[in-house]
Amino acid sequence: MAAMAALTLARRLLRSGPRPGLSGAGGREPGAAPRRAIGHGRVAVELDGSSGVAVMKMENLPVNSLSLGFLTEFLISLEKLENDRGCKEVVLTSGAPNIFSAGLDITEMCGKSVEHYTEFWRTVQEMWLRLYQSNLVTIAAINGSSPAGGCLMAMSCDYRIMAENPKYGIGLNETQLGIVAPFWFKDTMVNTIGNRATERSLQLGLSYSPAEAHRIGLVDQLVPEEKMQSAAAEVMSQWLAVPAHSQPAELPAGGGGEGPGSDRV
Amino acid sequence: MAAMAALTLARRLLRSGPRPGLSGAGGREPGAAPRRAIGHGRVAVELDGSSGVAVMKMENLPVNSLSLGFLTEFLISLEKLENDRGCKEVVLTSGAPNIFSAGLDITEMCGKSVEHYTEFWRTVQEMWLRLYQSNLVTIAAINGSSPAGGCLMAMSCDYRIMAENPKYGIGLNETQLGIVAPFWFKDTMVNTIGNRATERSLQLGLSYSPAEAHRIGLVDQLVPEEKMQSAAAEVMSQWLAVPAHSQPAELPAGGGGEGPGSDRV
Amino acid sequence: MAAMAALTLARRLLRSGPRPGLSGAGGREPGAAPRRAIGHGRVAVELDGSSGVAVMKMENLPVNSLSLGFLTEFLISLEKLENDRGCKEVVLTSGAPNIFSAGLDITEMCGKSVEHYTEFWRTVQEMWLRLYQSNLVTIAAINGSSPAGGCLMAMSCDYRIMAENPKYGIGLNETQLGIVAPFWFKDTMVNTIGNRATERSLQLGLSYSPAEAHRIGLVDQLVPEEKMQSAAAEVMSQWLAVPAHSQPAELPAGGGGEGPGSDRV
């Protein structure tokens, strides 16, 4: 059964720490037929061909900063999965301890050329568009804190499971640092938790505990940290039971009008 | 008092099962002066002239499938009420056991000509536009399951009361059948329960129990099945107490921009 | 510390009743250096230069009706604060007993010339635009009932604290009087409490108790009436701790598209 295969895979991948050996492109495990490691650089990807479920584990230590280089590796890995007919679902998670992703790498945003800024922001936006509009079912298994761009990444997935550890926080807290969140970060949050809660979040740069995040709908499900694996597997099997071609991508950011994904709804 | 008259009418109509004798056009009850039966075909309509409240009971047995023929009868009945100066409110309910409406008649959507599909979908859309923009107060008394198009019909009313029977379900569950809900089904749901809950609903084709539907705001009020009548009458009297010309129709589908009904707000 | 200074100011101003002596333009208190009274007409304003917090107290007795004259005085006072580099935050409150503002002065809307109506509505809209888009942090300390236009005024602030007195009501209850709320009243409410709750509010002209208003998100915080002062001061200090230039104004009314404030987000 697909769900069982997924469960096994998820258990194995989520349990282990960062495994650089897996993250190189083409680093397949010979003999373990349907399971293939097809990540790129610091993104460890393992696809279970029998269930169609891939686990993408971010391993840009120490905190999965979203640098230009790491985002590029992320995009290549995701594109590989989208082009792989055997892949239907992706679980996005972290191989770094206590953090899902610390968000945009701030060193990419100062002391560089205009060309660099352009390239960096184009790539950030590409990450958002790719995840948000993906044909694959995308599930964020948030096993650590997820501030700013890390929160955007999680919100761009179809479903969010978060570890129930009160030390973890999630939110678009840029305001606290004097950084204005781009309007499409805001639109994505409005689509997730509504207008007023987003206003509050951005005005005060709020970071939510898992319990608060769940209460306002920023994450869909809380699980004890040691049960992330089985929770992800259960969710996956729910999605696999539904005909994929009738599932919409997320509804368009910005609400109301036509936009990304609207032709699929 | 209007509310009392409405109460009596609602009791009588909601209590009885399907009554084909009432559903023919022009099937008036002589001598029962202010009360008039003015339905068409399989839609039994009884208007209480003293309160201005009409009860429209769908009787397309066994499950109130929304076929082209039935939708046409529905539209004629509704138009009659809208043109009747004595009518202010409509309670939409079902004469079929355990089901409000099973949604669009799937046999209208395969093995037919393009002309037929065009005519069918035009009529489905007409039902939505008519109900959603109606000058009358429209209240859905959901006395059974209400999947897919049945859920759209309920959402297009101004207020939704549902029988508290855990066997009943309501939702845009088309996805489960591999059918993509049209964007205006989606917009209507977004307006009712918000963006994120709609995303979840459409991605997994969720059908909600009455309790769940109430929790997420898909229905406004739950009542024990035997109290649908008095609950509907109470709601009606609330609405009758407010000046009709200052009540907006539902806010425009799709949110934000100008749209149906916006000139009334 | 800013918060402490704010606390002291808030205590002093919120405690006192209407003080006409403060409300004249230019009525400064000599010798109390950083604290300046800079209101205009029936709007008493006191700015604490050390914290940057101003308290604007409406004193158009008996019920703070929003007449053309009073709105003009309100706008002049607000503009003064916006042009004052020493001002960062405004607490909007009432000097009238048991009422925040009774809303638009109905005598401005009948028996007058078209020119008068134009001028009146332009000024109402100006109040909304000014408050909604203000560069200052605007906090409504709702110390009494706040129907119709009074509710709009509160919703146009960044944050709403309401006194926990069950006798007070707040809401766009115009419908009850047969008055249609303008679409931008509606849009502002949609942005605050969402589409469906706004539909219900406008269809029935609902007025909410403080507890209900808090439950649906129409106000952000309830406090015992005698603690309005310290609550406002605490909220102010939260806002003062965040870099002002990265705080968005409220998100645009009407949702989705570009609009007032969007360039700041």
Side-chain angles (χ1 to χ4, degrees), chain B:
Chain B
M1 207 186 115
M4 286 302 103
L7 182 66
T8 314
L9 171 64
R11 280 217 178 103
R12 202 156 63 74
L13 253 184
L14 292 167
R15 187 169 47 223
S16 57
R19 292 180 303 162
L22 264 187
S23 55
R28 306 213 176 167
E29 294 180 355
R35 192 165 297 142
R36 288 178 292 144
I38 52 171
H40 188 91
R42 288 156 287 184
V43 182
V45 179
E46 202 162 319
L47 169 62
D48 180 350
S50 65
S51 68
V53 174
V55 176
M56 282 182 87
K57 190 183 276 188
M58 298 184 279
E59 296 181 342
N60 188 23
L61 301 183
V63 292
N64 289 331
S65 284
L66 303 176
S67 63
L68 178 54
F70 180 64
L71 282 169
T72 305
E73 290 164 7
F74 178 86
L75 283 167
I76 292 172
S77 301
L78 183 57
E79 194 172 2
K80 277 188 190 179
L81 289 175
E82 295 202 316
N83 290 336
D84 194 315
R85 288 174 176 235
C87 182
K88 296 177 198 161
E89 301 198 7
V90 175
V91 179
L92 180 60
T93 192
S94 164
N98 301 319
I99 197 134
F100 180 72
S101 163
L104 305 190
D105 186 338
I106 227 136
T107 65
E108 304 276 14
M109 291 190 272
C110 56
K112 298 279 192 343
S113 67
V114 169
E115 287 72 28
H116 184 86
Y117 298 148
T118 306
E119 176 68 3
F120 176 65
W121 278 101
R122 197 198 58 73
T123 308
V124 174
Q125 205 164 48
E126 181 76 10
M127 174 271 285
W128 171 64
L129 288 171
R130 278 273 175 188
L131 263 184
Y132 207 70
Q133 299 184 92
S134 181
N135 288 319
L136 304 169
V137 177
T138 51
I139 294 172
I142 310 164
N143 53 349
S145 284
S146 198
C151 177
L152 176 75
M153 204 171 218
M155 290 193 301
S156 304
C157 292
D158 291 311
Y159 192 80
R160 285 159 287 287
I161 304 171
M162 190 165 183
E164 212 170 14
N165 185 334
K167 289 184 195 161
Y168 297 159
I170 184 170
L172 293 182
N173 60 336
E174 288 91 326
T175 311
Q176 291 274 2
L177 307 175
I179 298 174
V180 180
F183 71 90
W184 41 283
F185 280 50
K186 176 210 67 170
D187 286 346
T188 306
M189 187 171 246
V190 167
N191 277 356
T192 309
I193 63 173
N195 192 78
R196 177 60 187 146
T198 300
E199 252 178 28
R200 292 275 301 141
S201 285
L202 291 179
Q203 285 169 336
L204 294 172
L206 298 176
S207 175
Y208 298 96
S209 71
E212 291 165 331
H214 186 247
R215 193 180 53 76
I216 63 169
L218 185 53
V219 301
D220 297 300
Q221 192 177 338
L222 292 184
V223 293
E225 201 151 4
E226 67 277 13
K227 295 205 174 148
M228 290 290 278
Q229 313 162 23
S230 50
E234 260 174 57
V235 170
M236 283 177 226
S237 66
Q238 255 192 306
W239 285 78
L240 286 169
V242 175
H245 69 272
S246 56
Q247 291 174 332
E250 282 92 332
L251 301 182
E258 296 301 298
S262 62
D263 59 330
R264 302 184 61 225
V265 180

Side-chain angles (χ1 to χ4, degrees), chain C residues 124-161:
Chain C
V124 174
Q125 204 164 48
E126 182 76 9
M127 173 272 284
W128 171 64
L129 287 171
R130 278 273 176 188
L131 264 183
Y132 207 70
Q133 299 183 92
S134 180
N135 288 318
L136 304 169
V137 176
T138 52
I139 293 172
I142 309 165
N143 55 349
S145 284
S146 199
C151 176
L152 176 75
M153 205 170 216
M155 289 192 301
S156 303
C157 292
D158 290 311
Y159 191 79
R160 285 159 286 288
I161 304 171

